[in-house]
């Protein structure tokens, strides 16, 4: 069954000052939470999301999610060698009432220091990056998202969760974010959506390109085809990194999304 409406809200962890490998990591690069709500034709509501929590918040958050019927489908890392230590929780829930699901998620957020979500009318800032060079290297136009430049690729397959089709961009995207650190260099964080048969080719391309591999894991439990995600990290010349990432993207069945519309 195809989703007909999707609503997404981001919750940047602006309360935290996270440092990884000497880089102050912006909330838009890798220190944020997000939740999405999808309404289907039978009026079922599905929520999918990812919560960035500190290690000290982790057990309280999982307890709140469990007590409100929200599933955890992955608990993993986006960063290595960072302080304070963070963990990312993928969430999944469904039911007839969006408010009940939202209240469960709010109870989980209340166990953290996450500030309330805010809508922004601030125009995109000018980033000190060769964005045209990044676009040329990746073969797609990215988008300024806060303090980062983001490029997104969608899987070409139809992805289902049980009997429900996930709308494009909601369950299987490769998202790559570039945070300027000066001199045309960037800190890059992202994840690749891959099938099992693609994983080793992507890992090989990343390794050959000097891209750090952070994690290989799942985001869902009953998705078809079965998806895995490879989280990456790199710091260096932004365009050079983009060229290396392009070779890894080419090992997957993905196409440019035409704009940065999310990421898992």
């Amino acid at each position: 069954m195809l989703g007909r409406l999707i609503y997404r809200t981001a919750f940047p962890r602006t309360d935290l000052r996270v440092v990884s490998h000497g880089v102050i990591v912006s909330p838009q690069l890798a220190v944020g939470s997000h939740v999405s709500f999808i309404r289907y034709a039978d009026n079922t509501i599905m929520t999918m999301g990812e919560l960035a929590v500190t290690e000290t918040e982790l057990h309280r958050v999982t307890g709140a999610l469990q007590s409100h019927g929200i599933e955890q489908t992955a608990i993993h890392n986006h960063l290595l060698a960072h302080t304070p230590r963070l963990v990312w929780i993928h969430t999944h829930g469904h039911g007839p009432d969006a408010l009940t699901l939202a209240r469960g998620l709010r109870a989980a957020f209340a166990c953290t220091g996450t500030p309330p979500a805010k809508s922004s009318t601030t125009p995109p800032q000018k980033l000190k990056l060769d964005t045209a060079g990044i676009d040329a290297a990746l073969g797609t136009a990215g988008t300024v998202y806060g303090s980062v430049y983001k490029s997104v690729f969608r899987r070409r397959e139809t992805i289902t969760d049980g009997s429900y089709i996930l709308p494009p961009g909601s369950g299987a995207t490769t998202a790559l974010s570039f945070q300027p650190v000066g001199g045309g260099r960037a800190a890059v964080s992202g994840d690749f959506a891959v099938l099992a048969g693609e994983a080793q080719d992507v890992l090989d391309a990343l390794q050959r390109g000097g891209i750090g591999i952070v994690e290989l894991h799942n985001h869902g439990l009953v998705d078809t085809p079965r998806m895995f995600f490879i989280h990456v990290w790199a710091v260096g010349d932004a365009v050079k990194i983009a060229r290396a990432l392009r070779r890894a993207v080419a090992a997957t069945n993905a196409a440019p999304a035409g704009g940065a519309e999310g990421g898992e």
Side-chain angles (χ1 to χ4, degrees), residues 12-235:
R13 291 297 306 255
T14 54
D15 58 309
L16 300 174
R17 183 181 185 274
V18 177
V19 179
S20 180
H21 297 280
V23 175
I24 299 174
V25 181
S26 76
Q28 293 83 15
L29 180 66
V31 191
S33 304
H34 62 84
V35 295
S36 297
F37 294 84
I38 307 165
R39 181 182 295 278
Y40 287 88
D42 64 355
N43 287 322
T44 294
I45 305 296
M46 180 186 294
T47 180
M48 302 172 67
E50 183 174 46
L51 311 185
V53 305
T54 66
E55 287 189 348
T56 57
E57 296 167 345
L58 174 61
H59 294 296
R60 294 194 300 274
V61 171
T62 55
L65 292 168
Q66 288 286 344
S67 67
H68 287 83
I70 306 292
E71 299 176 356
Q72 297 86 68
T73 58
I75 300 175
H76 65 104
N77 293 310
H78 284 194
L79 301 168
L80 298 176
H82 63 286
T83 56
R85 292 286 302 172
L86 299 179
V87 181
W88 283 260
I89 306 171
H90 277 269
T91 61
H92 178 274
H94 66 274
D97 183 15
L99 289 179
T100 298
L101 295 170
R103 290 188 185 107
L105 291 166
R106 182 171 182 176
F109 279 117
C111 297
T112 75
T114 305
K118 295 180 180 179
S119 59
S120 176
T121 57
T122 304
Q125 60 181 287
K126 178 70 173 178
L127 299 180
K128 294 182 178 179
L129 280 175
D130 180 3
T131 55
I134 293 171
D135 288 351
L138 285 172
T140 186
T143 302
V144 176
Y145 173 58
S147 61
V148 305
Y149 193 66
K150 191 169 185 179
S151 302
V152 178
F153 299 82
R154 290 181 187 167
R155 296 292 311 191
R156 292 185 172 94
E157 301 89 351
T158 296
I159 310 297
T160 63
D161 185 278
S163 60
Y164 293 96
I165 296 173
L166 298 180
S170 64
T173 58
T174 291
L176 308 168
S177 297
F178 296 73
Q179 176 186 316
V181 295
R185 301 170 71 248
V188 180
S189 178
D191 58 343
F192 284 76
V194 305
L195 298 182
E198 299 168 340
Q200 300 311 312
D201 289 338
V202 173
L203 291 168
D204 181 65
L206 293 169
Q207 185 72 23
R208 290 176 182 273
I211 307 298
I213 297 164
V214 176
E215 187 94 25
L216 167 62
H217 70 110
N218 60 287
H219 282 184
L221 296 177
V222 294
D223 48 340
T224 304
R226 194 78 171 94
M227 301 299 303
F228 298 89
F229 294 81
I230 301 172
H231 284 270
V232 300
W233 171 266
V235 180

